[in-house]
Amino acid sequence: MRAPGRLRFAGRYVTRWAVDTAGVLLALSAGTFALVLLARGDPAAILAATRAGRSATPEQIEAVRAELGLDAPAPVRYVRWLADASTGDFGLSLRTNTPVGPEIADRMGVTLGLVAGSAAVALVAGVAVGVAGAVLGRGPVRGALRGGALLATSVPAFWLSYLLVLVLALRLGLVPTSGMAGPATWVMPMAVLGLPAAGALSRVVAVTLREALDQPYVLAAQARGSGPVSIVLRDGLPNAAGPILSLAGVTVGSLLVGTVVVEQIFGWPGLGAYFVHAAAARDVPALQAAALALGGGFILANRLADVLQALIDPRSLRDAGGTGPRAAGRGRRPSRRGGTGPREEAT
Amino acid sequence: MTQGHRRWGLPATVRTTLVALPLIVFAIAGVLAPVLAPADPTANDLAAGLLPPSADHLLGTDQLGRDQLSRILYGARISLAVTAAVLAISLAAGVVIGTVAGYLGGRVDRVISRLIDMAVSLPGMLVALAVIGVRGPGVENLVIALSLWAWAPYARIARARVAGLRGSPHLDALRLLGAGPVRVIGRHLLPPALAPCLVYASTDVGAIVLSVATLSFLGLGIPPPHAEWGQMLIEGRPYLASAWWLAYPPGIAITAVVFAGNLLGERLAGGDERPSILRWVRPARRPRHSIAPRPAPAGSPATSAAPAASAEDDVVLRVRDLSAGYPHGGGLRRVVAGVSYEVRRGRVLAIVGETGSGKTTSALAPFGLVDPGAVVTGSATLGGGAGALELMGRTPPERHRVNGRRVGVVFQDSLAALNPLRTVGAHVDEAVRNAGRGGRRAATRRVSEELLRLAGLPDPAVIAREFPHQLSGGMRQRVQIAIALAGEPELLVADEPTSALDVTVQAQLLDLLGRLRDELAMAMVVVSHDVAVISRLADSVAVMYAGRIVETGPLATVIGNPDHPYTRGLLDAVPRPGAAPGTRFRTMPGRSGAGPDDTGGCAFAPRCPIAVAACADDRPVLEAASTVAHRSACLRHPGGTALQPGTARERDRL
Ligand code: SF4
């Protein structure tokens, strides 16, 4: 019951988590590599043509093929590709004939900044609306908040951005329509990416917080004279934190994927836009690198939330097998699809 | 709750259909687009470009003069076609894979489950983009790309369903009868696995439509000149500011379908209709009846646990005509009716009754510790003389000046009553601060440790750093007592303070409560169904049945000379005062009564061994039994020595 047992449990848990995560990431890399096998058209021919400026001769194509190692069997190529990728070498872009790795690294900052900004929007708005939804009695305000949250999760990101451009940029002239130049240009991308996530988050906050606030310890806190703010902050939110944190992981992951649409619309030089360009040009090496970066980030965000959730709850680190009062309700993440649906990503 | 489901006055199925209406419209529009569309969606007419809505073109025309309404309808058609294809493929693949995994079990199941887990944990949009990125845009590639991730949830649902069925005797019997695996799977496992998948599919439509639109918007889905909603938005982009009819209809169409899918999914998942305990309600609805204490008219049905007081200043809590109920089908369903009791300094009142008799509500309602939806009426006065305070109709902030300061509460289930994520010390510190006795962190903690010591916990500094689940039940109960004492209260309310504890621990806790009562001169209200608690601690007893007090009086009289048949039944098989801790009242034969208003007569009549015909019609009133202080609500007063129905003077004092 004391520290050594708990620490050992935590150690075992984290180790198992790390092994699992490595497995999933490896599977992701295999899937990413397999893209090259699915590809229509010969990458060697495309790159040779890019270099030659026009269609390449068979000799040029063969030279490129040898250079890229495309003549080896697929498993060998996978191992080579993985080894190179782990050093940041993703090969040459078929579109521009420049190394993909540095380009990805450059664009990563833009995307992470956008994700961080929209995550902040999602967190603040989502928790605020969710708390209101949990604490308000049945009535028009609560109904409006619920409906608004659901609507926010349903509006396609590309259409929401059009609406914002029409109103904020064209009609009111508050912010530029696109680009990434100053603080004002961050408003719309952050809103388009963050608001739908806030909607999803607020739903989960409302449901889990309500459940946490229905526990007898809330009555007990009222009996000892604690006010509603203290109860929400000290008793409600911490006990609802598991599912909320879990969804926050899903949210950050889906924000990362959502940059694909938002960066494209607002012309931001990030990973998401790079991914779309690569897909449009069938630029396989670039596609692989971007998919690995975005997909890896998505998976890591999800799984980090899981491990954090387990580590913050003192009950989950018990060596004894007993369960806390809510033990049955925790565990799996709350979203129906575990975050794979376009419901989250396409926003 | 029931109220919520009836809000629109429509049955749930109709409301679900309403929710799904956009999906139905979407399906109809998709199927009938060639019939419904007024024009060819791809017919250019540059002369009629960018026309606003008119009789000819109900939704106007786009930059190439194409009829916008027709394009919306055909957009539904192509979205529907892709969605149907994706759903068909992923449903078939998912259900078959999941069913096989669930049926075979063992290693195959483990491998497939792992695969499903991985597929579910991949970001669907990225998979689709990557596949299209290498295969190129187009309808088939779109269907392949979306199916590649859409199958996994179906596989997971089907696997869970079939794994649940696998061990059933029905299947064993089939196998014994010689049914082969193909037959078992095909006839007996696929159909039940398919059902939940189909339900899920209905909520998946929105997600797939959104993916199609998003990919088309990115130029990677349905290629032009096909009309597709996302495609229409990207094509109309340059004209959006001037031609609103290009900007809104496609977006609204997508949003409506996705919204319906999400709402449907939420309804099927159960939603969150239930409001929480902490929900905000309009401060203190004033009760319909007057809340001031008033003399009850002669023959009033109000039940009372104490005769009128003589030494007013001594009374710590006086409850009069307390009723509590919940809105129910347009009316009020009461759980407690006309309960009156009082308790004096240094005295203990025990409220006794079966589960559901309303005893906990009677003890906690005066302090607002009931569901905020409850309607509580009557009056409850805390303290006497100058410090007297009416508790009914208080707003939550006003309650914080009473709860935790003048009143402390100990709850029944100590594990549930303590926040599992906070240390014991944090709880006590909070109580100390709420009571205004806190200071700097260390000073507050010193007070907390003192309280824990007062509650009989050894080594309070160590205990304070423990989490609730690390303590024994008895220790947690002492922690609750320490919390309750933080405000140096006049009154301690304890709800079943010793239930679920073993006998020696119970005895220790009772000793502690008795000592605290004596040392701190507190009044106590103890809710219990434990004879030991009552006989060791109480000075007076109120017996409750079906939301009313049926007998009340000094401990010795009620235990030694019970009048009401219910009390007699309770005590029947139980040794009298001095009973070992843990001795429960005998459970009575028959169902316990429901609510106080379920019958116009005596609620106990169905179980009463001496009931007479009148019992079903006349509700008995609390009347003096053996002495003035001992009263009971029974028409027959089997106690025998009844001072018959009470003199008018006595009744007036009720
Ligand atoms: S009133 Fe009648 S039914 Fe009720 S307890 Fe008395 S005798 Fe029994």
Side-chain angles (χ1 to χ4, degrees):
Chain A
M1 186 173 276
R2 297 296 181 257
R6 292 164 70 183
L7 275 183
R8 200 168 339 118
F9 179 89
R12 265 210 310 273
Y13 184 88
V14 171
T15 313
R16 209 179 56 219
W17 175 87
V19 170
D20 267 13
T21 306
V24 177
L25 288 178
L26 212 60
L28 174 75
S29 74
T32 310
F33 173 77
L35 288 174
V36 83
L37 307 176
L38 278 176
R40 263 205 310 229
D42 179 359
I46 299 174
L47 185 58
T50 305
R51 284 183 182 170
R54 288 209 67 223
S55 59
T57 64
E59 295 77 47
Q60 283 171 317
I61 295 176
E62 281 317 307
V64 171
R65 193 188 309 285
E67 179 196 329
L68 297 181
L70 291 179
D71 35 13
V76 175
R77 281 161 59 197
Y78 170 58
V79 172
R80 266 193 222 147
W81 175 77
L82 195 60
D84 286 349
S86 62
T87 65
D89 175 7
F90 287 92
L92 298 175
S93 160
L94 302 185
R95 192 160 47 107
T96 59
N97 191 26
T98 53
V100 171
E103 178 90 33
I104 294 275
D106 275 357
R107 288 168 171 261
M108 188 87 86
V110 173
T111 297
L112 288 182
L114 179 56
V115 167
S118 6
V121 170
L123 208 64
V124 171
V127 170
V129 172
V131 168
V135 179
L136 288 177
R138 202 190 298 287
V141 179
R142 184 172 153 222
L145 286 177
R146 281 189 55 174
L150 205 58
L151 195 63
T153 58
S154 307
V155 176
F158 52 90
W159 192 51
L160 180 60
S161 52
Y162 276 12
L163 297 183
L164 288 184
V165 167
L166 279 179
V167 175
L168 294 185
L170 298 179
R171 192 141 310 155
L172 301 178
L174 293 177
V175 291
T177 50
S178 69
M180 190 187 88
T185 56
W186 283 66
V187 172
M188 285 196 294
M190 265 166 47
V192 169
L193 206 47
L195 287 182
L201 199 59
S202 78
R203 311 279 308 117
V204 170
V205 170
V207 173
T208 55
L209 181 61
R210 183 168 301 124
E211 191 182 308
L213 289 178
D214 264 346
Q215 301 297 319
Y217 51 72
V218 170
L219 213 56
Q222 287 178 320
R224 63 175 177 262
S226 298
V229 175
S230 152
I231 290 177
V232 167
L233 290 183
R234 297 208 178 98
D235 298 311
L237 284 176
N239 277 289
I244 294 176
L245 201 62
S246 189
L247 185 74
V250 175
T251 304
V252 168
S254 56
L255 291 176
L256 206 53
V257 177
T259 59
V260 166
V261 176
V262 174
E263 288 181 357
Q264 172 78 357
I265 291 173
F266 292 105
W268 277 39
L271 262 187
Y274 188 68
F275 189 58
V276 174
H277 295 150
R282 273 188 259 156
D283 182 351
V284 177
L287 198 66
Q288 285 175 317
L292 205 58
L294 290 174
F298 178 88
I299 289 167
L300 273 182
N302 276 284
R303 298 193 58 93
L304 271 177
D306 279 355
V307 74
L308 278 183
Q309 175 192 347
L311 291 180
I312 56 164
D313 187 341
R315 286 166 305 177
S316 72
L317 295 189
R318 257 184 304 179
D319 48 354
T323 50
R326 298 202 314 111
R330 32 196 331 116
R332 288 324 301 158
R333 62 176 59 102
S335 88
R336 293 187 305 118
R337 199 190 252 288
T340 17
R343 220 184 303 289
E344 279 98 13
E345 289 91 44
T347 49
Chain B
M1 292 178 174
T2 38
Q3 224 196 348
H5 284 300
R6 296 248 139 229
R7 199 171 17 175
W8 298 350
L10 294 172
T13 44
V14 176
R15 290 185 56 193
T16 304
T17 314
L18 269 183
V19 163
L21 199 62
L23 293 178
I24 297 166
V25 171
F26 165 63
I28 293 174
V31 171
L32 297 182
V35 182
L36 296 174
D40 178 351
T42 53
N44 297 358
D45 177 5
L46 290 176
L50 290 177
L51 290 181
S54 65
D56 280 347
H57 302 283
L58 286 178
L59 286 178
T61 62
D62 70 2
Q63 65 283 359
L64 298 178
R66 295 174 293 195
D67 182 56
Q68 187 75 350
L69 176 62
S70 307
R71 287 179 67 76
I72 294 273
L73 289 171
Y74 273 90
R77 187 175 175 81
I78 196 144
S79 286
L80 183 69
V82 172
T83 305
V86 170
L87 278 182
I89 293 175
S90 46
L91 249 176
V95 170
V96 169
I97 291 172
T99 306
V100 168
Y103 176 77
L104 292 179
R107 189 175 303 161
V108 179
D109 182 29
R110 274 201 300 281
V111 171
I112 295 185
S113 296
R114 199 92 184 89
L115 200 70
I116 296 174
D117 282 348
M118 282 192 181
V120 166
S121 72
L122 281 178
M125 195 65 194
L126 276 192
V127 175
L129 267 174
V131 170
I132 291 173
V134 294
R135 303 284 305 166
V139 176
E140 308 111 76
N141 287 342
L142 188 62
V143 171
I144 293 171
L146 293 179
S147 306
L148 257 180
W149 58 265
W151 65 275
Y154 298 102
R156 179 178 269 182
I157 295 171
R159 197 204 79 86
R161 186 87 175 84
V162 171
L165 290 174
R166 193 172 52 206
S168 76
H170 173 63
L171 282 192
D172 290 342
L174 277 175
R175 248 176 258 133
L176 279 180
L177 288 174
V182 174
R183 195 177 129 90
V184 170
I185 292 181
R187 293 278 299 274
H188 300 278
L189 292 178
L190 275 182
L194 192 60
C197 289
L198 283 175
V199 171
Y200 181 78
S202 68
T203 70
D204 219 10
V205 170
I208 296 176
V209 168
L210 182 58
S211 316
V212 173
T214 304
L215 287 168
S216 303
F217 178 86
L218 292 174
L220 296 168
I222 312 238
H226 284 298
E228 198 284 337
W229 295 338
Q231 173 72 42
M232 287 167 70
L233 279 174
I234 192 78
E235 277 188 66
R237 189 175 188 180
Y239 315 98
L240 291 180
S242 50
W244 59 266
W245 58 95
L246 293 188
Y248 295 112
I252 290 172
I254 302 169
T255 306
V257 172
V258 178
F259 185 80
N262 286 349
L263 198 57
L264 199 61
E266 188 177 291
R267 274 186 73 78
L268 294 176
D272 67 338
E273 287 288 321
R274 207 168 36 87
S276 75
I277 292 184
L278 193 80
R279 77 172 175 279
W280 183 86
V281 287
R282 229 162 274 115
R285 344 167 176 214
R286 285 282 159 184
R288 268 161 270 174
H289 315 296
S290 112
I291 53 165
R294 54 177 174 149
S300 145
T303 54
S304 165
S310 43
E312 291 288 335
D313 286 353
D314 226 18
V315 177
V316 173
L317 178 68
R318 172 177 295 143
V319 172
R320 283 285 173 268
D321 199 13
L322 177 81
S323 294
Y326 296 89
H328 178 80
L332 191 68
R333 184 176 169 76
R334 293 203 291 180
V335 292
V336 165
V339 162
S340 302
Y341 59 85
E342 64 184 43
V343 54
R344 293 156 191 276
R345 246 169 83 84
R347 294 306 171 114
V348 177
L349 167 72
I351 303 182
V352 182
E354 294 168 320
T355 308
S357 61
K359 56 188 193 304
T360 299
T361 307
S362 300
L364 295 182
F367 310 102
L369 298 175
V370 288
D371 188 293
V375 178
V376 181
T377 60
S379 109
T381 319
L382 184 67
L389 177 74
E390 172 59 49
L391 295 174
M392 287 302 165
R394 292 285 158 208
T395 61
E398 289 170 328
R399 292 208 179 278
H400 301 154
R401 290 196 288 276
V402 175
N403 295 350
R405 291 180 185 238
R406 298 182 64 178
V407 179
V409 182
V410 174
F411 289 89
Q412 174 173 11
D413 178 352
S414 60
L415 187 60
L418 296 170
N419 180 341
L421 301 182
R422 302 177 70 193
T423 61
V424 162
H427 286 87
V428 189
D429 290 348
E430 182 178 280
V432 170
R433 280 194 305 270
N434 288 344
R437 293 172 68 196
R440 291 169 170 279
R441 185 181 281 261
T444 308
R445 182 49 65 93
R446 266 198 302 282
V447 179
S448 298
E449 287 173 6
E450 201 44 55
L451 287 166
L452 289 168
R453 190 171 293 121
L454 188 62
L457 286 164
D459 214 351
V462 173
I463 299 271
R465 286 195 296 271
E466 300 276 11
F467 286 96
H469 71 259
Q470 294 171 312
L471 303 181
S472 70
M475 291 167 98
R476 279 196 300 265
Q477 210 53 283
R478 288 174 189 272
V479 170
Q480 282 212 74
I481 292 173
I483 292 170
L485 295 178
E488 302 177 309
E490 316 155 41
L491 174 68
L492 185 77
V493 179
D495 182 8
E496 305 271 14
T498 61
S499 71
L501 296 177
D502 76 50
V503 173
T504 38
V505 179
Q506 286 196 3
Q508 290 167 0
L509 272 175
L510 292 177
D511 287 347
L512 171 67
L513 287 173
R515 211 176 63 233
L516 291 173
R517 171 199 56 193
D518 296 339
E519 286 173 7
L520 307 176
M522 282 188 301
M524 283 190 201
V525 173
V526 177
V527 174
S528 183
H529 55 252
D530 188 331
V531 182
V533 174
I534 290 150
S535 57
R536 288 175 78 146
L537 209 52
D539 299 295
S540 53
V541 180
V543 181
M544 288 194 69
Y545 188 83
R548 293 176 197 274
I549 292 179
V550 294
E551 179 161 10
T552 173
L555 173 80
T557 326
V558 174
I559 298 266
N561 187 16
D563 180 75
H564 196 279
Y566 176 64
T567 317
R568 295 175 153 231
L570 285 177
L571 291 169
D572 209 20
V574 158
R576 296 304 149 83
T583 315
R584 298 282 156 84
F585 285 123
R586 193 169 70 101
T587 34
M588 302 281 296
R591 260 163 37 89
S592 62
D597 302 320
D598 290 353
T599 157
C602 175
F604 189 56
R607 295 165 77 189
C608 182
I610 58 166
V612 292
C615 296
D617 306 320
D618 296 345
R619 177 169 296 146
V621 180
L622 267 186
E623 291 165 325
S626 58
T627 66
V628 177
H630 177 205
R631 293 175 309 140
S632 141
C634 172
L635 297 175
R636 300 193 61 190
H637 285 296
T641 55
L643 307 174
Q644 272 314 315
T647 64
R649 198 170 144 266
E650 275 164 346
R651 278 211 217 112
D652 284 349
R653 296 174 61 192
L654 291 183

